[in-house]
Amino acid sequence: MPRASSPHRSNIATVDPIWAALRQEAEEVVRKEPALGGSLYATVLSKSRLEDAVCHRLAQRLNHSDVDAGLISMTFDEVLAEHPELGRAFRADLAAVFDRDPACQRYIEPLLYFKGFHALVTYRFAHELMKQGRRDFSLYLQSQSSRIFGVDINPAARIGIGIMFDHGTGIVIGETAVIGDNCSLLQGVTLG
């Protein structure tokens, strides 16, 4: 929980408890693992909202010589500017992993390390780009996500919020698949 001595933290905890908890977790990790300080500062502690942290982390993971992290992050920022409701999906997905995955003890774990969460959020950006008619960038993200995370989600699929991909490896979700809210998928699942 946030420290009572800081009014700013108290306000964040009231308005966005997941972001407040995640920031506190990042500070704790830095105290215990100082070698991770630069990465955690860049990913979480220098950011003012969860959406920015998610964009940064994903752009770093998807970085490639074809399309670098800066361009990917800029594209994600553009999508978020037009679809701020994606932030609600990020929070619901983080909560789903935290609540349903027995291996997850903190919100920071899926944000930093869980490829199922990373693949799902990459899909969310690719899906919005596909709807905007940006098919090639959308398919590029799908390809990168499949290559890096071992999860292949067609950007045209429809996926609700509060989703957990446990492990993620080998999940394939086709173009015609529809997944409702609050679902969990285990590794090796093919839909559509």
Side-chain angles (χ1 to χ4, degrees):
M1 290 288 106
R3 296 179 208 141
S5 62
S6 174
H8 177 67
R9 288 177 192 277
S10 182
N11 290 340
I12 290 173
T14 302
V15 174
D16 193 348
I18 290 176
W19 178 234
L22 208 144
R23 287 184 60 83
Q24 182 180 353
E25 292 165 2
E27 290 171 355
E28 184 179 322
V29 171
V30 170
R31 280 192 296 277
K32 291 181 179 178
E33 296 288 349
L36 297 176
S39 174
L40 284 165
Y41 179 79
T43 303
V44 177
L45 298 174
S46 68
K47 308 300 183 211
S48 60
R49 61 189 188 138
L50 176 65
E51 291 84 346
D52 298 329
V54 168
C55 287
H56 178 83
R57 182 60 179 148
L58 269 186
Q60 294 303 309
R61 298 272 335 252
L62 296 168
N63 184 38
H64 189 271
S65 59
D66 292 340
V67 181
D68 74 9
L71 184 56
I72 292 169
S73 185
M74 185 175 71
T75 302
F76 288 170
D77 288 340
E78 291 169 2
V79 170
L80 277 170
E82 292 183 31
H83 300 281
E85 70 279 3
L86 285 174
R88 180 174 174 260
F90 300 164
R91 286 163 180 80
D93 297 337
L94 278 171
V97 175
F98 182 80
D99 291 344
R100 291 186 230 141
D101 185 343
C104 182
Q105 299 176 8
R106 304 166 299 173
Y107 291 109
I108 200 165
E109 293 169 7
L111 175 69
L112 295 180
Y113 311 119
F114 289 15
K115 65 184 180 175
F117 176 75
H118 295 158
L120 179 61
V121 175
T122 301
Y123 151 79
R124 295 199 185 287
F125 283 115
H127 181 72
E128 292 304 329
L129 289 167
M130 182 70 81
K131 288 181 358 187
Q132 292 175 9
R134 296 183 66 184
R135 180 177 175 80
D136 289 307
F137 205 104
S138 180
L139 293 174
Y140 175 80
L141 290 175
Q142 175 192 2
S143 176
Q144 282 296 93
S145 180
S146 179
R147 183 179 70 81
I148 295 167
F149 308 131
V151 178
D152 190 355
I153 308 171
N154 189 291
R158 294 183 316 186
I159 301 177
I161 65 171
I163 306 300
M164 183 200 62
F165 294 162
D166 192 17
H167 299 289
T169 301
I171 291 177
V172 177
I173 300 173
E175 179 177 16
T176 61
V178 178
I179 300 172
D181 294 343
N182 304 313
C183 291
S184 298
L185 280 74
L186 303 181
Q187 69 277 2
V189 170
T190 299
L191 301 173

